[in-house]
Amino acid sequence: MASADQLINAFTTLLVTIDPPGLAPIFLGLTTGMSRSQRKQVALRGSIIAFVILAVFALFGASVLGVLGISIGAFRIAGGLLLFWIAFEMVFEKRQDRKEKTSTAAITVDHIHNISVFPLAIPLIAGPGAISATILIAGSMQGSLERAQLIVVIASSLLLLFLALLIADRLDRFLGVTGRAILTRLLGVILAALATQFVVDGLKSTLGTMPAG
């Protein structure tokens, strides 16, 4: 059974990489002209699809790595570096620009009814950062009960995201430009610390399995 610290760490990592406050204004842009009920359908479908994707990686991500011959230690290092890059983008406001460009490109290509799949579920919610974080967290939760707890953590994170998307218009007005900037930078610093811990754990794991010279 996972400890409370593990669950809190997992929840924090997932919530920061999913970034509900950052997605709220982008969601509004994607659903311009839709009614409240239509927005709710898009948010619900996108959240469910993202949950399925992350749950699959939580359950089978380590097995896929094993087939490819990649150790969990090596993936922790690579995933930690990726998460650190995302944290860097959050602190220096690069990630928001990239997400906005993704949403702008998609709405001109995909039909309005499919935006819940792309770009909302993939890659805005279940993007490389969230997938990497999920596999990293799953690597430290090997038992069946621990994996079940991780699935609950993923579901809780996406439930909060869904609720944030439902009140996206009010959240965007409440935070404002300054509030979003402060919150994004604060979350970026937290994610950078978590990413560094993943790299440290990966180095310990990799160096610990190396044969003595």
Side-chain angles (χ1 to χ4, degrees):
M1 186 171 179
S3 66
D5 286 343
Q6 280 182 301
L7 295 175
I8 292 171
N9 184 48
F11 182 73
T12 303
T13 303
L14 284 172
L15 205 59
V16 170
T17 51
I18 292 170
D19 188 21
L23 275 179
I26 297 171
F27 176 73
L28 289 177
L30 283 172
T31 56
T32 300
M34 289 189 183
S35 65
R36 183 174 291 272
S37 63
Q38 289 172 327
R39 278 182 174 165
K40 182 178 179 180
Q41 290 175 14
V42 171
L44 180 61
R45 189 177 177 209
S47 299
I48 290 173
I49 293 170
F51 168 75
V52 171
I53 293 169
L54 294 181
V56 167
F57 276 101
L59 295 173
F60 305 110
S63 301
V64 173
L65 292 180
V67 170
L68 296 175
I70 301 171
S71 70
I72 192 64
F75 191 83
R76 278 181 182 146
I77 295 171
L81 292 174
L82 174 61
L83 293 180
F84 191 87
W85 176 252
I86 291 174
F88 176 86
E89 289 185 325
M90 290 174 71
V91 172
F92 293 99
E93 285 193 325
K94 302 290 184 183
R95 195 181 189 207
Q96 192 75 6
D97 294 340
R98 176 165 51 79
K99 282 186 173 182
E100 286 172 357
K101 288 177 182 176
T102 301
S103 65
T104 302
I107 202 167
T108 60
V109 175
D110 288 1
H111 193 272
I112 193 70
H113 297 299
N114 294 326
I115 63 173
S116 55
V117 180
F118 179 86
L120 185 58
I122 310 169
L124 294 180
I125 302 176
I131 291 172
S132 298
T134 300
I135 297 177
L136 288 172
I137 296 164
S140 61
M141 296 183 175
Q142 299 295 338
S144 299
L145 180 57
E146 291 180 335
R147 290 293 174 87
Q149 288 176 306
L150 177 56
I151 298 299
V152 172
V153 168
I154 294 171
S156 301
S157 302
L158 290 175
L159 176 60
L160 279 180
L161 171 69
F162 172 65
L163 295 176
L165 295 183
L166 287 184
I167 59 169
D169 51 347
R170 281 170 280 179
L171 185 64
D172 193 46
R173 285 197 302 269
F174 174 75
L175 288 175
V177 176
T178 304
R180 283 201 310 272
I182 293 172
L183 186 59
T184 298
R185 282 174 170 81
L186 178 61
L187 294 176
V189 172
I190 294 173
L191 182 59
L194 292 168
T196 302
Q197 188 61 53
F198 279 131
V199 173
V200 170
D201 291 343
L203 287 172
K204 285 181 180 177
S205 175
T206 303
L207 294 175
T209 56
M210 289 178 66

